[in-house]
Amino acid sequence: MRPRHLLPFALITSATLLLTACGSGSGGPGAADAAGAAAGSGEVPTTDVFSAERKDEAAAKLLPAGTTHLTVAISVGGTPPGTTYLSDGRTLTGQDVDFTKAVAKVLGVKLTVEQASFEAILPALDSGKYDFGASNFGVTGERRKTIDFVTYINDGQGFATRGDSKLSKITDLGQLCGLNVATGAGTTFEATLEENRHVCTDAGKKPYEVQAYAEPSAIWSSVQQGRSDIVMSTINGLRYAVAHQPGLRFLNEYHRLDVGFAFKKGTALAPAFQAAVNRLLADGTYTRILRKWGTTGSAIASSRISPPEVKS
């Protein structure tokens, strides 16, 4: 699922508004969190929430023998809580980054972070190019055929539009018939929309058009300029976007999904990562990370390995 993302919020001005894209939301569950309020001011939160984490020997013993270093692929280009840059233009930050680094500390492994486009990460896992991916990947039945997941939050699919739009809550994709729908390329949103285009033709209506953008900044540009009627993206990302960009409106959640670290099928790393996430849940670091990014509404009770897709 990947949220797909935006430019750092510090770059959002009246002159650059049309170039911004989707981030994550302070307008939904968790918006009252102190760190979420900091994000709501337009600043990227910089609270240190995981550096005090220590190696957990029990979790580390679950790693394959000799594992001391892991390479993670992360897609960059968003606003909080999605992965973006700090003001130096080099240092990565975001909810996925914090969870990844916290897990690495629990497991006592060194971490190399490599940037990759969202749609390129999952196919590259099987080749061994990366040990795992961390880019808000939603757990779906289709992905579970070739990918293993270790869950760490629950996010999902939602809709947003311009503030002057007459559109209301979307409970059925048939409500999109005849509209131009913007979304991220290679995401669960694009797949969901493409798989259900028939609902319009089945009803004798004009099908909606799926406008998939590889560059996340193009999504909101398309909406603001009237080339798209509505956006389908991550729940957290949409809420953040509408809270920080004038003239936008969050419509509703559509479908919740578990989100997890992604691995090649049959990975031996999953049990260790599951134990590490559960350690973060137990010692309070997990809650601190969610509060930092204003996403406590996405908390899970415990980590699971490749659970069935959430059906709602």
Side-chain angles (χ1 to χ4, degrees):
M1 169 188 72
R2 154 88 166 64
R4 299 331 119 195
H5 313 301
L6 271 173
L7 300 172
F9 186 77
L11 300 180
I12 298 178
T13 65
S14 58
T16 61
L17 179 61
L18 296 184
L19 298 179
T20 57
C22 178
S24 283
S26 61
D33 295 344
S41 67
E43 300 176 0
V44 176
T46 57
T47 308
D48 179 0
V49 290
F50 63 82
S51 66
E53 197 66 47
R54 296 292 179 263
K55 181 178 180 180
D56 182 278
E57 295 295 340
K61 286 180 179 179
L62 296 175
L63 287 168
T67 302
T68 60
H69 181 275
L70 294 172
T71 299
V72 59
I74 296 181
S75 178
V76 184
T79 53
T83 302
T84 186
Y85 297 98
L86 291 178
S87 58
D88 62 10
R90 300 184 305 274
T91 305
L92 295 182
T93 188
Q95 182 170 259
D96 295 320
V97 173
D98 280 358
F99 273 117
T100 299
K101 291 184 175 180
V103 164
K105 290 182 73 68
V106 171
L107 296 178
V109 297
K110 293 182 179 180
L111 195 66
T112 294
V113 178
E114 295 194 7
Q115 299 178 31
S117 64
F118 178 78
E119 60 269 28
I121 295 176
L122 296 186
L125 294 175
D126 191 57
S127 69
K129 184 176 183 179
Y130 313 116
D131 294 302
F132 67 105
S135 289
N136 207 65
F137 289 110
V139 181
T140 68
E142 186 63 28
R143 285 178 174 169
R144 288 173 69 243
K145 294 177 182 178
T146 57
I147 299 294
D148 280 341
F149 294 92
V150 174
T151 62
Y152 58 96
I153 61 168
N154 178 279
D155 194 352
Q157 304 171 334
F159 292 97
T161 187
R162 291 185 302 278
D164 60 359
S165 173
K166 295 181 180 180
L167 293 174
S168 58
K169 183 176 181 179
I170 304 297
T171 58
D172 186 294
L173 295 184
Q175 295 170 256
L176 302 176
C177 296
L179 301 179
N180 292 322
V181 186
T183 194
T187 63
T188 58
F189 319 114
E190 181 184 19
T192 296
L193 290 167
E194 292 291 358
E195 290 168 4
N196 290 278
R197 284 170 59 92
H198 65 88
V199 300
C200 296
T201 54
D202 290 351
K205 298 180 181 179
K206 180 181 178 181
Y208 51 75
E209 293 297 325
V210 181
Q211 300 172 321
Y213 295 96
E215 291 297 328
S217 60
I219 295 176
W220 289 114
S221 175
S222 178
V223 173
Q224 296 279 17
Q225 295 174 1
R227 289 180 282 108
S228 300
D229 300 295
I230 191 170
V231 174
M232 186 180 192
S233 190
T234 65
I235 294 167
N236 288 334
L238 292 173
R239 282 179 167 143
Y240 188 92
V242 301
H244 294 86
Q245 297 184 51
L248 299 176
R249 178 164 53 90
F250 180 75
L251 289 179
N252 62 285
E253 296 184 9
Y254 178 71
H255 176 45
R256 278 276 174 177
L257 285 174
D258 287 317
V259 170
F261 297 111
F263 306 83
K264 67 178 181 180
K265 195 70 176 177
T267 181
L269 294 171
F273 270 69
Q274 180 188 32
V277 174
N278 285 331
R279 164 63 185 269
L280 298 177
L281 278 158
D283 67 19
T285 298
Y286 183 90
T287 299
R288 286 191 290 274
I289 292 174
L290 293 188
R291 285 177 175 169
K292 173 181 177 178
W293 299 107
T295 56
T296 54
S298 288
I300 59 174
S302 63
S303 178
R304 295 190 292 169
I305 297 174
S306 298
E309 179 178 348
V310 175
K311 300 295 184 180
S312 60

